[in-house]
Amino acid sequence: MGQNDQRIGTAAIWMIGAIVSFSSMAIAGREAGLSLDTFEIMTYRSAVGLVIVVVVLTATGSWRQVQRDRLGLHFLRNAAHFTGQNLWFFAVTLIPLAQVFALEFTSPLWVLMLSPLLLGEALTKPRVLAAALGFIGILIVARPSPETLNLGVIAAASSAVFFALTIMFTKRLTRHEPISSILLWLTLMQLAMGLAISGWDGAIAIPNAATALWLLVIGCAGLAAHFCMTKALAIAPATVVVPIDFARLPTIAVAGMLIYGEALNLWILLGAVVIFCANYINILDAAGRLRAHSEHGRSA
């Protein structure tokens, strides 16, 4: 087995961890949503995550990596992620899990459309094609009509926009800060946001033993999912990682069928395939431009 094959195999293992983690978080979010609202779920999730991050930073002696000179950007990133995650948890309680995941996969396309405004990146012809194809995919998944358009679909689609903003702010942060610093401010700020909003009326629901277990799964799975995906992207290019990530959709579709009796909707799967193609066109365009830039740099 060559070195490239080994790297792809290792990245695939990390992505299996991400798929299991994302799927576990969706199921746990639906179960916790039976007794808690989304703001309370986010509060407890952030509390669990903060404890984990603090323990890891202390055990590894990594507190020196935590930086405080970009707190404004951290706040913007975490406010976007907090909003998107609340919408996502709300959506998983209302519509089939596969539909939530399919609409979530449009986040990279929103990055594509918003990056010229927020990051100053050029909007190339392949990117325009990817955006148009992605929009068609959204229409196939959502099939907007008085019968199919509901709060769950709107929440899932909206969460993708806020996740896109999160991705762009994260890209700016990772130029200067390690992931340990980003995760600490993520959990700390979102805990404060959750406490402020869920406790505005002076009452935050206390979970029972069963719900507390689901919250523990959400907190651990949320951190594990992003850690696994980050490790996979550090090992292999996005052209390898993204197709593996799309295995999340059939995985959660089967889980939804087995656990909740959700029907396998062919429209959702077809729309997801279209969205995948749109994402992959964008990735290939980015890889081509990066390769051309690298070759130009060597020839200069």
Side-chain angles (χ1 to χ4, degrees):
M1 182 182 292
Q3 187 174 5
N4 286 340
D5 291 335
Q6 289 180 338
R7 291 170 68 88
I8 292 172
T10 303
I13 292 172
W14 281 113
M15 284 309 301
I16 290 172
I19 290 167
V20 171
S21 298
F22 279 124
S23 300
S24 300
M25 189 168 63
I27 294 168
R30 175 172 286 185
E31 295 297 324
L34 296 175
S35 56
L36 301 175
D37 64 39
T38 59
F39 297 115
E40 290 167 340
I41 292 174
M42 282 297 294
T43 299
Y44 289 116
R45 176 202 169 172
S46 299
V48 172
L50 181 60
V51 170
I52 294 172
V53 172
V54 168
V55 169
V56 171
L57 286 175
T58 303
T60 58
S62 301
W63 280 100
R64 63 185 180 278
Q65 295 180 356
V66 177
Q67 302 178 22
R68 293 178 291 179
D69 50 350
R70 296 178 183 84
L71 292 182
L73 185 55
H74 278 288
F75 178 80
L76 289 175
R77 178 206 185 263
N78 294 326
H81 186 265
F82 182 81
T83 304
Q85 195 70 76
N86 271 286
L87 289 167
W88 189 85
F89 278 127
F90 181 61
V92 299
T93 66
L94 296 177
I95 61 176
L97 298 177
Q99 194 170 24
V100 176
F101 275 43
L103 291 170
E104 181 191 351
F105 281 135
T106 63
S107 288
L109 302 175
W110 286 109
V111 172
L112 180 157
M113 289 182 278
L114 293 173
S115 59
L117 297 175
L118 298 179
L119 299 178
E121 296 182 359
L123 192 60
T124 62
K125 289 182 179 179
R127 286 187 168 190
V128 172
L129 173 62
L133 196 59
F135 182 69
I136 294 172
I138 293 173
L139 292 178
I140 295 173
V141 171
R143 286 173 294 139
S145 71
E147 293 78 25
T148 58
L149 193 61
N150 54 54
L151 281 177
V153 171
I154 294 171
S158 300
S159 73
V161 179
F162 285 99
F163 287 149
L165 292 171
T166 303
I167 291 169
M168 287 186 285
F169 290 136
T170 302
K171 285 177 66 175
R172 291 174 60 180
L173 281 170
T174 52
R175 295 171 186 168
H176 310 284
E177 299 195 25
I179 191 170
S180 55
S181 179
I182 293 172
L183 287 177
L184 177 67
W185 293 117
L186 164 73
T187 53
L188 186 59
M189 287 186 177
Q190 291 194 157
L191 176 58
M193 293 173 191
L195 286 170
I197 297 177
S198 61
W200 72 272
D201 57 355
I204 298 178
I206 304 299
N208 57 32
T211 304
L213 181 59
W214 290 119
L215 292 171
L216 182 62
V217 172
I218 290 171
C220 295
L223 287 177
H226 291 289
F227 181 79
C228 288
M229 184 167 285
T230 301
K231 291 289 290 185
L233 286 169
I235 295 170
T239 49
V240 171
V241 172
V242 169
I244 301 174
D245 186 36
F246 264 76
R248 265 199 284 159
L249 185 66
T251 300
I252 200 63
V254 171
M257 180 184 65
L258 295 177
I259 299 172
Y260 300 110
E262 296 177 353
L264 291 177
N265 190 312
L266 293 180
W267 285 108
I268 294 175
L269 297 178
L270 176 61
V273 170
V274 174
I275 292 169
F276 166 77
C277 292
N279 276 312
Y280 211 65
I281 289 171
N282 184 38
I283 290 171
L284 292 176
D285 176 57
R289 286 186 288 109
L290 184 62
R291 188 163 51 249
H293 179 75
S294 176
E295 292 173 353
H296 177 74
R298 286 197 299 268
S299 62

